[in-house]
Amino acid sequence: MLFTLAAAISILAVALICVFLFANGLPAMFQIGIPEFLLGTTWKPGSDMYGIFPMIVGSIYVTAGAILVGVPAGILTAIYLSRFAGSRVASVLRPGIELLAGIPSVVYGFFGLMVLVPFIRATMPGRGLSLLAASMLLGIMILPTVITVAKNALDAVPKSYYEGALALGATRERAVFRILVPAAFSGIMAAVVLGVGRAIGETMAVVMVAGNQPVMPNSIFEGVRTMTANIVMEMGYAADLHRGALIATGVVLFVFIMLISLLFSAIKKRGEER
Amino acid sequence: MMQEIKQDARIAPSLPVISETKMGVEELDLFYGEFQALKDVTLDFPKNEVTALIGPSGCGKSTLLKALNRMNDLVDGCRVDGLVSLDGDDIYRDVPVNDLRRRVGMVFQQPNPFPMSIYDNIAFGPRTHGIKGKAELDVIVEQSLRDAAIWDEVKDRLKKSALGLSGGQQQRLCIARALAVQPEVLLLDESTSALDPISTAKIEDLVVEFASKYTVIMVTHNMLQALRVSTKTAFFLLGEMVEAGDTDELFTHPKDSRTADYVSGRFG
């Protein structure tokens, strides 16, 4: 009974969030016009223009950048931890990764603001507050997720596959990339998808380093505003349709997250069938 | 070499042919951390013969087998003292490990086909060693599968996953995979212990045939198998090699009382 109740609370919470989001967001979306809202490129609440396309693109760009930075490093680290690291190295690395997962995102943001942004400003064009800064920072932030999930997938591959490859005279690298990684492929994809979910939903750290101009970025050195940043920056003073448009931004974000979650389950299911 | 000849003469005086040594182990000590798994083992493996390593569990016979293609390298804290040679070369110093493992193939206790197609399983080894041409690979795959007596069973499903095969078929596939890199020595680590009697018999037949082309060294728990398949046998106990010689001789006239006890089924 107690267990059922506890489980019911989380379901109830999801349902309430859903109802709140859609009840408040959809009317605003209809009032603005769905094509104008989703595909409009001008966000000017003062003139009642609510096009969030730059923010959708911004979220996608920033997430893609984070994947480019974080996924290769994360997967290589997972392989290293799963197969090559001696127990002494692993005993340092594993708590380090756990710590990385526990750092509050505002602290990541500070790090980005004080270290990454000045570095980019000094060595590259633009003001530093940029798509590049946000991508690099998010790339680091998704590392623990990617590493943990990918490592679990790699650990689940029977040791005998790896040994079989070595026994044929394959190098460790060939055994890893031709046998181990393909065998863990669905789990590694799941790691990537979870990383995407983490990156697309991240708010605080991104707001602090991304510049947040609500326009389409033309290069990775320009500022960019994500959907999450859009909501958190304007919610404090927004009213009426402006407020509704921000909640509708949340609806779009919610749909993105839901799609990612569906993709994750599909990949997991495929992995289990194999 | 001298020692080998003397030993042969002592154990099997009637044999006119003195066989050539393919692999040899001299004064081999092997440690897993503090534990000594092999103690001062000296043994020669004659070329193109089947040598069986027998003994109770934990006697070191599998450890010795894995020392022959350096699969023990994967074990944390494993240390080897002494000489292991292939055609006279020290395999721990003079032979690159990946060349060694190509020349000294291994079939494991549990069938371990890769989770990929039958064709790709066989082609993995040759591709590893630089063979890329499709036509050439096709020939190698067919020949290897024929040599492992599984071609007829799989020729129509080469592109299907190897994991769909039965346990016995998977093990013959693994043998074919080992043959595909043209090894000189074949190590079998209790390779039939997970299989049914019919599959076991098929693999035993193969091993007998292999003796004309390969030097085979097999670990087995099954003494009848050693009798059926091997020409030489070495008996191990608690990390020591107790006795080695012609299989028939060792089973019928063991020199050491411990060997006699083991082969007559008094322990193990």
Side-chain angles (χ1 to χ4, degrees), chain B residues 3 6-7 35 60 83 93 96 116 142 164 174 177-178 192 206 235:
Chain B
Q3 199 180 2
K6 264 189 282 169
Q7 231 175 36
F35 174 72
L83 177 73
R93 284 182 194 84
M116 49 175 77
E142 175 169 350
C174 291
R177 190 174 70 187
T192 61
L206 279 176
F235 170 62

Side-chain angles (χ1 to χ4, degrees), chain A residues 229-242:
Chain A
N230 196 37
I231 298 169
V232 79
M233 287 178 64
E234 298 186 4
M235 208 61 200
Y237 60 85
D240 305 326
L241 187 58
H242 183 195

Side-chain angles (χ1 to χ4, degrees), chain A residues 24-58:
Chain A
N24 289 285
L26 286 183
M29 227 192 267
F30 287 126
Q31 199 180 332
I32 297 159
I34 288 179
E36 285 81 4
F37 179 67
L38 290 178
L39 300 176
T41 54
T42 313
W43 176 267
K44 263 190 193 154
S47 332
D48 266 352
M49 293 171 81
Y50 302 104
I52 63 160
F53 193 63
M55 276 70 93
I56 295 178
V57 170

Side-chain angles (χ1 to χ4, degrees), chain A residues 85-87 157 159-172 174-175 178-179 182-183 274, chain B residues 69 71 74 76 98 101-102 104-106 108 112-116 124-125 127-129 163 177-178 181:
Chain A
S87 49
V157 175
K159 220 176 147 203
S160 63
Y161 292 171
Y162 182 65
E163 288 179 347
L166 290 188
L168 289 167
T171 59
R172 298 199 304 182
R174 185 171 164 85
R178 291 301 160 113
I179 303 293
R274 273 177 59 188
Chain B
N69 70 343
M71 288 305 280
L74 301 183
D76 259 350
N98 297 322
R101 291 185 183 143
R102 185 195 66 70
V104 182
M106 184 168 219
F108 295 81
N112 61 344
F114 303 135
M116 49 175 77
F124 180 84
R127 282 174 176 147
T128 297
H129 299 287
L163 301 184
R177 190 174 70 187
V181 294

